[in-house]
Amino acid sequence: SVPFLQAARKRNSLDLLELSEAELEEQFVRGDGPGGQATNKTNNCVVLKHVPSGIVVKCHQTRSVEKNRKIAREILQEKVDLFYKGEDSDVFKDKKAAEKQKQEKKRRARENLERKKLFKEMQQLDKE
């Protein structure tokens, strides 16, 4: 289930499972990373756990506790949706579609590079 969880954090998903506050455990801890005193002295990092599934999300994207709480809930909702629905989840389908687009873009770039090489070779032959 680890690859499914990596697909989380897509904004376009509309059909997600609802989370009830009774299923959540919330903690506020000190964040880590850059930020110096602002990070080391404030407990604005949110750790949110979905008890039935055991999924834990840690969010320290902003200095605001309220914004971090909201972001953590969005991320957790998407991960729980992936956990229960698997490949039927909208988040998973979006991730697969994005991967497919990326592969198609790489394929076109390779084809263009090959065309350019052939064109240069033809120019070299014409000069000789």
Side-chain angles (χ1 to χ4, degrees):
S1 66
V2 175
F4 295 143
L5 297 180
Q6 291 173 353
R9 199 70 179 119
K10 296 287 178 188
R11 295 273 181 189
N12 304 353
S13 305
L14 300 175
D15 189 28
L16 298 177
L17 293 174
E18 292 296 321
L19 300 177
S20 69
E21 290 295 319
E23 297 176 335
L24 303 179
E25 287 181 6
E26 187 174 45
Q27 290 180 318
F28 302 103
V29 296
R30 288 195 179 115
D32 55 359
Q37 187 176 13
T39 299
N40 297 336
K41 287 198 171 188
T42 58
N43 292 337
N44 56 4
C45 179
V46 177
V47 177
L48 201 57
K49 180 179 181 179
H50 185 250
V51 177
S53 65
I55 296 174
V56 177
V57 171
K58 185 176 181 181
C59 180
H60 188 233
Q61 293 183 7
T62 67
R63 293 174 69 180
S64 166
V65 176
E66 289 304 315
K67 287 181 185 175
N68 286 336
R69 289 180 77 203
K70 183 178 180 205
I71 295 168
R73 278 169 171 68
E74 291 172 1
I75 295 170
L76 184 66
Q77 186 177 18
E78 292 173 358
K79 287 190 177 189
V80 167
D81 189 67
L82 279 170
F83 181 79
Y84 286 117
K85 291 184 180 177
E87 293 183 10
D88 295 332
S89 172
D90 290 344
V91 178
F92 184 79
K93 291 175 185 175
D94 288 348
K95 176 72 172 177
K96 283 294 182 188
E99 276 182 33
K100 195 172 185 178
Q101 285 179 344
K102 188 175 180 181
Q103 289 173 350
E104 180 65 22
K105 189 175 178 181
K106 282 183 180 181
R107 185 189 62 76
R108 283 190 305 240
R110 277 195 302 270
E111 287 177 357
N112 285 339
L113 189 61
E114 285 296 320
R115 275 194 227 113
K116 286 179 182 178
K117 285 181 182 178
L118 287 172
F119 183 72
K120 284 185 179 182
E121 289 175 6
M122 295 296 286
Q123 283 183 335
Q124 290 294 332
L125 291 174
D126 288 344
K127 287 183 181 178
E128 295 175 359

